[in-house]
Amino acid sequence: RERRMAQRDEWLIGARRPRIFVEPDGDDHPLWDECLRLLDRVGMQLDDWQLDILRASLRMRDGLWAAFSVGLCIPRQNGKNEILQARELIGALLLRETLIVHSAHLADTSIEAFRRMDDLIDTHKWLQEITTVRRTNGREAISFSLEDGSVCRIRFRTRTRGGGRGFSGSPVIFDESMAFPVVSQNSILPVMSAQPNPQAWYTG
């Protein structure tokens, strides 16, 4: 991985750190090195700045997330979705987060996130062997059956007035959060209310 990153750095230009970067105090997650190994295993080669954001979002303080809220504002086609995909995989496969909710303002955006994850799984036989994919329109979800017997799910939802009711999970990802009416927020935020260590992502 270090060799690949060094080769890529030969033609990368620009600043590694975002112009505005607010980083929480805390300690690196004890599984951070395993997170990097997992990303390598699935072939995700994140840029340094993407890893910086992911690493900061996973920091811990007193046994809880150092950041309850993670905000990410990036121009289109600059790598936001890869960060979300990495966070969801880490949450399901390493952190044993039993329900991860990926919500978007538009159905097309939510479905596209689902398809990206589905395509990634299709390229790795070991992932295919532990996943169940639900492709029902409006109920897209991916379940991971892990070796310790636990089942971790990622559900892909379109934000509606009642779109978050009836289930409980964390983290909750609010993609396209620049279009996030209060009524939708009030519907989905209670999803995290019963969680001992919740985290919300706001991206756009």
Side-chain angles (χ1 to χ4, degrees), residues 123-137:
T123 62
H124 298 282
K125 183 175 176 58
W126 69 275
L127 280 176
Q128 294 176 35
E129 292 173 347
I130 64 171
T131 58
T132 301
V133 180
R134 182 176 183 175
R135 298 182 175 88
T136 305
N137 188 33

Side-chain angles (χ1 to χ4, degrees), residues 12 22 28 43 49 68 74 80 98 108 156 172 184 187 195 204:
L12 284 179
V22 180
D28 281 343
W49 69 268
F68 167 76
I74 300 176
K80 166 179 63 71
T98 56
D108 286 350
F156 298 83
V172 177
S184 295
S187 171
Q195 300 301 310

Side-chain angles (χ1 to χ4, degrees), residues 22-190:
V22 180
E23 193 171 6
D25 294 329
D27 301 317
D28 281 343
H29 198 284
L31 296 180
W32 175 244
D33 288 340
E34 291 186 44
C35 294
L36 294 178
R37 287 193 288 269
L38 172 63
L39 296 181
D40 268 348
R41 189 178 182 189
V42 299
M44 294 191 69
Q45 299 181 29
L46 299 187
D47 290 337
D48 289 336
W49 69 268
Q50 293 172 310
L51 289 174
D52 288 343
I53 292 169
L54 188 61
R55 185 174 190 170
S57 74
L58 293 173
R59 283 194 173 145
M60 307 289 292
R61 186 168 61 242
D62 299 327
L64 300 174
W65 297 123
F68 167 76
S69 297
V70 179
L72 192 56
C73 182
I74 300 176
R76 293 185 182 275
Q77 306 299 318
N78 273 268
K80 166 179 63 71
N81 294 317
E82 284 75 13
I83 299 174
L84 298 181
Q85 188 175 49
R87 175 62 180 87
E88 290 164 359
L89 279 174
I90 289 168
L93 297 179
L94 292 181
L95 306 183
R96 302 299 197 264
E97 293 170 329
T98 56
L99 178 59
I100 299 167
V101 181
H102 183 121
S103 75
H105 177 63
L106 299 175
D108 286 350
T109 307
S110 176
I111 292 171
E112 185 60 30
F114 165 76
R115 287 175 177 167
R116 280 194 301 270
M117 187 69 76
D118 194 16
D119 289 343
L120 178 65
I121 290 168
D122 280 345
T123 62
H124 298 282
K125 183 175 176 58
W126 69 275
L127 280 176
Q128 294 176 35
E129 292 173 347
I130 64 171
T131 58
T132 301
V133 180
R134 182 176 183 175
R135 298 182 175 88
T136 305
N137 188 33
R139 295 183 175 272
E140 290 84 0
I142 298 174
S143 298
F144 298 86
S145 300
L146 307 179
E147 66 277 1
D148 63 359
S150 58
V151 177
C152 300
R153 293 180 297 149
I154 307 173
R155 294 190 65 173
F156 298 83
R157 311 280 296 190
T158 304
R159 287 195 292 274
T160 62
R161 184 180 297 270
R165 293 172 184 158
F167 56 91
S168 179
S170 174
V172 177
I173 291 167
F174 302 107
D175 196 11
E176 299 180 317
S177 58
M178 65 284 185
F180 194 13
V182 172
V183 66
S184 295
Q185 187 173 20
N186 291 341
S187 171
I188 297 178
L189 278 178

Side-chain angles (χ1 to χ4, degrees), residues 4-17:
R4 291 199 305 269
M5 295 297 288
Q7 292 171 345
R8 190 169 51 177
D9 285 346
E10 293 178 1
W11 52 265
L12 284 179
I13 60 174
R16 168 174 175 164
R17 291 177 66 84

